Amino acid sequence: MGALAIKNVTKTFGDTQILKGINIDIESGEFLILVGPSGCGKSTLMNIIAGLESPTTGEVCIADRAVTNVAPKDRDIAMVFQSYALYPTMTVRQNIAFGLETRGIAKAEQNEIIARVAKMLQMDHLLERKPAALSGGQRQRVAMGRALARNPKLFLFDEPLSNLDAKLRVEMRVEIKQLHQRLKTTIVYVTHDQIEAMTLGDKIAVMKDGVIQQFGRPQDIYENPANLFVASFIGSPSMNFIPCHLIEHDGELGVSLQGMASPYFISLAGRPNLRARLGEKITLGIRPEQLDVAEAQSSALECKVKITEPTGPDTMVYTEVNGVEVIARVHPRLVPPTGQSIKLVLDMKKVVLFDPVTESRI
Amino acid sequence: MTMPVRTAQYGFAERWLPRLVLAPSFVLTLVFLYGFIVWNGYLSFTTSRMLPNYEWAGLAQYITLFDNERWWVAVRNLVIFAVLFIGGAMGIGVVLAILLDQKIRFEGAIRTIYLYPMALSFIVTGTAWKWILNPGLGIEKLMHDWGFTQFTFDWLVNSEMSIYTVVLAGLWQSSGFVMALFLAGLRGVDDSIIKAAQIDGASLPRIYWKIVLPALRPVVFSTLMVLSHIAIKSFDLIMALTGGGPGYSSDLPATFMYSMAFTRGQMGVGAASAMMMLMAVAAIVVPYLYSELRKDGNG
C-alpha cells in the first residue's frame, strides 16, 4: 500500500520557483529522509505534505487518498518540529491531551493513551511539568509523545534533532530508529545532516535547488551517486574529486595521477561510454576509505603526507594529487610521519567518474 | 611620586561623578513629586479653602468629601469609564492584533493607521470627538441632512449618557496602542506552535484562546497597568470633550479634584480627593510591583 505519493508537485513564490516538479513514492512503514542544504526546498515540501502550504501544481496522496485540498487536521498526520513547538502554558499532560481533546476523545481514553505514550518514551515523571522546566532532550521526547498519542498514518519530523547537543543527538537518533522499528510507522524526516540521513533512512531523497537529485536507498546513494553534488553531500569526510585528462596508454583508456613522484597511470578499461571523451577533462571521484596504503613491492601512487588527523579507528591522511587536496582514510599503524611519502592504491571498482561541465555521472 | 595623587583624583571623580549627574533629577523628584505628595496630604487635614493654610481640621475635609454627591458621581463615572475603557481597549486591541497577525498585505500601513490616534494628545482627541458628537455639527446633523430626520444621537448633551462619549473617545485613542503591544507579543510566539495546533485539529479562535493568549500573560499585565493608570488620571480628555458636563454628570475624580482645588475655593476637599486617587493607584501598583520584584529576586 502506498503510504505517501507526491506527484509532480511544484511551488512558486512570486517569481522564484522553490520546487520544480517533485515525485516521490514510498510504501507503508518506510522511513523517508528529505536531505539537502538549506534553501533546497525540503522544508517547503514538508509543509506541503503537512498541508500547511498548498502546492502550486501537482498532487499529494496519503494512504492512497488524495489530500491536496484537505486541511492539515484531516490528513491523519502528526508532526514534530525543530523548535519542539510545545504549548508553553500547558503541562506535558495537557500538551499531549490537547490534540486528543480537539478530536473529541473521551477523558478516560485520553488518560489511557497518555499513560501508554509516557511509558513508551519513559517520561511518566515529566507529565505534570511545564515545557520551560524541561531540558532540550526532554522537550524533544514530549514533542514525539504528542505526535505518537494520535497514532496517525504518517509522521512528519522537521529537523527534530538540530537543536540538541551532539551527544544527545546521537542518542535520540537511535531512539527514533528503535521507535520506528517497533511501531512500523511511516515517517518523513527532513534534515540537513547527511549522517542522520544515512543512519535513519530506508529511502533518501537528496534535494538541491528544488529538484530531487537522487532518490534511493542510503547505501546505493553512497556507492552510486548520480552526480557531483550528491557525491559531495553524502559522506564525511567528503568524496575526493580529482581533475584528470582521459588519455590512452598502451592501448588502454585511463587517467594519469601526479603525486610527488612520476605520474601514475590508472586504467579505466572496461568502462562504457568513455571512448568518445578521449583527450577531454573528466573528474575522478573516490571516497577516502577507497584509498589504501600499498603493499611495499607493488606499484602505487606516491604522495606526500601533508597533515594527519587521527580519529581513533582510522587516520585521515591529507595529501595532494593533480594539484588538489586528497584525503585517504587508512589504518593508524600504516601512517608515515608528516612530510614523508605514502604509497596509495585506489579501489578501482568503486571509483566513479563525472563530467566536470555538467557535473553528472559518466 | 605623582602616581598615587593622580590615582586618588581619578578615584574621587569616579566616585562622585555619577552622584553629581544624578543629583539634580533626584532632588527635583524628591521635592516636586514626593514633597508635594506629602504637602498635599497635610493640606487634606487642614481647613484650606481659596489658599492653603495650616489650621488642623482632622478628618473634616474627608467627611465633607464623602458627603458630597458630586464626588460619588465622579467615582461612579470612574468605575464605568475604567471598566468599559480597559475592557474595550483590550478587547478591540487583541482582536485587531490577531487579525493583523494573519500575514496580510499592507500590514505596515494599516498598523500605522490604527496606531496614529496615539500620536494625538487627549486634548485633540477630545476636541475632535466633541465636534463629531455635537448634535448640531456632527453625526446627528449629517444623518438629518441625509434625510434621516428621526435619527438622534445626543449622548454628548445627555447627562445620562455623557460618560459613554468619554469611553468612546478613549477607546478610539488607545485601542491602537493596545493592538501594537499585543502584535509585538504575538510576533514573539513561535510560528510552529500555531502549525502544531493546526495539525492537532484546533480552530483558529481556539488556538488563540487556549494557546497563544495564555502565553502572552506578561503583555496582558503590562497593558492592564498602562490602561488603568490612564483611566484613573484621565483629565484632559474630559476637559476637552465634555468639560465634566452636562452639569457634573461626566465628572471623573481628576476633574472633580481640579474644580474643587482651583475653581471652587475648596482646596481641602480637593486635597482629600487627590489622596483618595493616590490610594486607588497605590492599591493597583503596589501589589503589581511587589509580585514583579519578588519574581526578579527569585529568578
Side-chain angles (χ1 to χ4, degrees):
Chain A
M1 192 181 81
L4 172 69
I6 296 167
K7 296 169 191 161
N8 290 318
V9 162
T10 66
K11 179 71 182 177
T12 315
F13 285 115
D15 292 334
T16 40
Q17 199 170 14
I18 308 290
L19 297 176
K20 300 166 185 164
I22 302 288
N23 285 289
I24 291 178
D25 223 319
I26 57 168
E27 297 298 308
S28 180
E30 278 189 314
F31 200 134
L32 167 71
I33 305 272
L34 302 175
V35 67
S38 49
C40 70
K42 58 189 190 294
S43 292
T44 307
L45 182 57
M46 178 67 113
N47 283 342
I48 287 174
I49 296 171
L52 298 166
E53 286 177 42
S54 50
T56 308
T57 63
E59 201 183 338
V60 178
C61 298
I62 294 174
D64 291 328
R65 179 171 72 111
V67 293
T68 316
N69 296 314
V70 174
K73 67 184 167 72
D74 299 322
R75 290 190 177 200
D76 205 1
I77 54 171
M79 191 158 171
V80 177
F81 294 84
Q82 180 179 0
S83 61
Y84 320 129
L86 299 178
Y87 310 133
T89 53
M90 299 186 192
T91 62
V92 169
R93 178 186 295 280
Q94 290 165 329
N95 259 283
I96 300 173
F98 184 78
L100 304 174
E101 234 166 71
T102 41
R103 273 151 219 279
I105 292 172
K107 199 84 195 164
E109 197 181 340
Q110 280 181 30
N111 287 333
E112 217 169 276
I113 292 171
I114 292 170
R116 176 175 58 82
V117 169
K119 187 149 173 275
M120 185 156 52
L121 292 171
Q122 291 144 37
M123 54 181 201
D124 311 73
H125 59 296
L126 304 176
L127 282 177
E128 308 309 327
R129 289 208 215 159
K130 293 256 176 86
L134 302 177
S135 69
Q138 290 170 331
R139 285 179 209 187
Q140 188 55 61
R141 216 174 273 267
V142 174
M144 276 165 51
R146 190 171 65 179
L148 285 172
R150 293 246 318 281
N151 200 14
K153 287 266 190 321
L154 185 63
F155 282 98
L156 306 176
F157 285 78
D158 190 5
E159 307 213 14
L161 304 184
S162 300
N163 286 359
L164 301 178
D165 64 56
K167 183 166 177 285
L168 210 50
R169 202 178 304 170
V170 175
E171 286 173 19
M172 290 302 287
R173 206 168 70 200
V174 175
E175 211 161 313
I176 290 176
K177 186 145 194 170
Q178 281 173 344
L179 213 58
H180 174 244
Q181 284 174 355
R182 192 140 42 103
L183 301 176
K184 310 260 185 283
T185 48
T186 315
I187 296 179
V188 180
Y189 187 108
V190 165
T191 181
H192 61 263
D193 180 359
Q194 55 90 19
I195 296 180
E196 273 174 35
M198 287 295 293
T199 51
L200 286 174
D202 291 324
K203 294 258 179 76
I204 299 182
V206 184
M207 293 180 67
K208 186 196 172 202
D209 299 335
V211 176
I212 292 183
Q213 305 289 326
Q214 192 169 3
F215 178 62
R217 302 197 165 275
Q219 204 59 34
D220 288 344
I221 289 181
Y222 187 79
E223 284 170 4
N224 286 307
N227 57 37
L228 210 61
F229 169 77
V230 175
S232 65
F233 191 80
I234 300 288
S236 171
S238 175
M239 185 185 267
N240 298 300
F241 299 108
I242 306 168
C244 315
H245 281 278
L246 192 63
I247 55 173
E248 195 164 10
H249 183 77
D250 291 344
E252 275 185 16
L253 285 176
V255 292
S256 157
L257 300 181
Q258 174 78 53
M260 67 188 289
S262 51
Y264 172 63
F265 178 79
I266 59 170
S267 167
L268 293 171
R271 292 194 181 235
N273 308 330
L274 274 183
R275 177 60 60 181
R277 293 176 185 264
L278 183 61
E280 286 177 24
K281 285 184 184 171
I282 60 170
T283 300
L284 183 142
I286 184 153
R287 296 205 177 269
E289 70 273 18
Q290 294 157 1
L291 286 161
D292 207 352
V293 178
E295 316 263 316
Q297 65 279 15
S298 63
S299 84
L301 173 61
E302 198 173 356
C303 336
K304 187 174 169 186
V305 177
K306 290 165 72 186
I307 303 174
T308 57
E309 263 185 0
T311 61
D314 300 305
T315 296
M316 305 296 164
V317 178
Y318 288 66
T319 64
E320 196 174 293
V321 176
N322 284 14
V324 297
E325 186 171 82
V326 166
I327 303 172
R329 180 182 209 148
V330 300
H331 195 278
R333 210 161 23 82
L334 304 174
V335 177
T338 308
Q340 299 208 355
S341 74
I342 184 168
K343 281 183 150 184
L344 296 173
V345 284
L346 289 73
D347 185 346
M348 289 312 295
K349 286 198 296 292
K350 302 264 175 74
V351 163
V352 287
L353 302 173
F354 300 97
D355 183 321
V357 181
T358 64
E359 300 199 340
S360 55
R361 187 77 182 272
I362 296 172
Chain B
M1 285 313 286
T2 54
M3 276 302 282
V5 180
R6 283 185 56 193
T7 320
Q9 277 175 345
Y10 192 73
F12 179 81
E14 193 157 81
R15 247 183 310 143
W16 283 95
L17 196 64
R19 302 182 197 193
L20 278 173
V21 171
L22 284 176
S25 58
F26 183 75
V27 169
L28 288 175
T29 314
L30 200 66
V31 173
F32 288 98
L33 204 65
Y34 297 99
F36 282 11
I37 287 174
V38 172
W39 189 26
N40 179 73
Y42 185 75
L43 283 181
S44 72
F45 294 108
T46 66
T47 60
S48 303
R49 292 184 70 86
M50 273 294 279
L51 291 168
N53 70 42
Y54 301 99
E55 196 182 314
W56 186 257
L59 290 173
Q61 303 289 13
Y62 288 91
I63 292 164
T64 317
L65 178 70
F66 292 144
D67 281 341
N68 190 332
E69 195 215 325
R70 183 170 171 181
W71 167 250
W72 292 113
V73 170
V75 170
R76 194 183 66 100
N77 279 343
L78 178 63
V79 173
I80 294 174
F81 176 69
V83 169
L84 292 180
F85 171 72
I86 296 172
M90 293 280 270
I92 296 171
V94 168
V95 170
L96 286 178
I98 290 174
L99 292 180
L100 264 190
D101 195 34
Q102 307 306 312
K103 299 197 178 79
I104 56 167
R105 269 206 270 184
F106 311 120
E107 187 210 305
I110 295 171
R111 206 172 48 207
T112 314
I113 290 172
Y114 282 126
L115 201 51
Y116 194 72
M118 198 67 193
L120 303 178
S121 77
F122 269 123
I123 297 285
V124 178
T125 304
T127 310
W129 279 93
K130 184 162 78 180
W131 292 336
I132 294 169
L133 296 172
N134 186 324
L137 277 175
I139 297 175
E140 187 172 311
K141 174 153 193 307
L142 184 73
M143 297 308 270
H144 287 187
D145 288 351
W146 281 351
F148 301 98
T149 47
Q150 298 304 306
F151 183 87
T152 50
F153 189 65
D154 62 349
W155 287 10
L156 190 67
V157 294
N158 181 338
S159 57
E160 290 288 306
M161 302 301 287
S162 55
I163 187 64
Y164 298 102
T165 64
V166 182
V167 173
L168 206 62
L171 286 181
W172 180 80
Q173 164 111 0
S174 300
S175 297
F177 171 64
V178 178
M179 175 207 77
L181 288 178
F182 272 94
L183 195 55
L186 289 176
R187 288 290 143 82
V189 173
D190 181 4
D191 242 12
S192 44
I193 289 181
I194 294 176
K195 286 185 191 169
Q198 274 176 354
I199 292 175
D200 261 347
S203 61
L204 206 59
R206 191 172 145 86
I207 292 174
Y208 276 98
W209 186 247
K210 298 280 278 194
I211 295 165
V212 178
L213 288 180
L216 293 185
R217 225 170 65 119
V219 181
V220 173
F221 271 109
S222 23
T223 311
L224 267 180
M225 290 311 296
V226 174
L227 290 181
S228 42
H229 98 261
I230 289 181
I232 293 174
K233 73 176 195 192
S234 267
F235 175 78
D236 35 9
L237 183 60
I238 306 277
M239 287 316 248
L241 184 60
T242 65
Y248 50 78
S249 62
S250 62
D251 248 356
L252 287 186
T255 57
F256 173 88
M257 184 274 293
Y258 176 78
S259 57
M260 286 301 158
F262 300 112
T263 64
R264 311 238 330 211
Q266 295 274 6
M267 192 164 283
V269 175
S273 65
M275 289 313 286
M276 297 310 298
M277 285 166 63
L278 177 68
M279 288 182 203
V281 174
I284 299 172
V285 173
V286 169
Y288 173 73
L289 282 183
Y290 181 71
S291 73
E292 286 297 298
L293 293 177
R294 207 182 44 167
K295 224 183 291 168
D296 286 352
N298 284 349

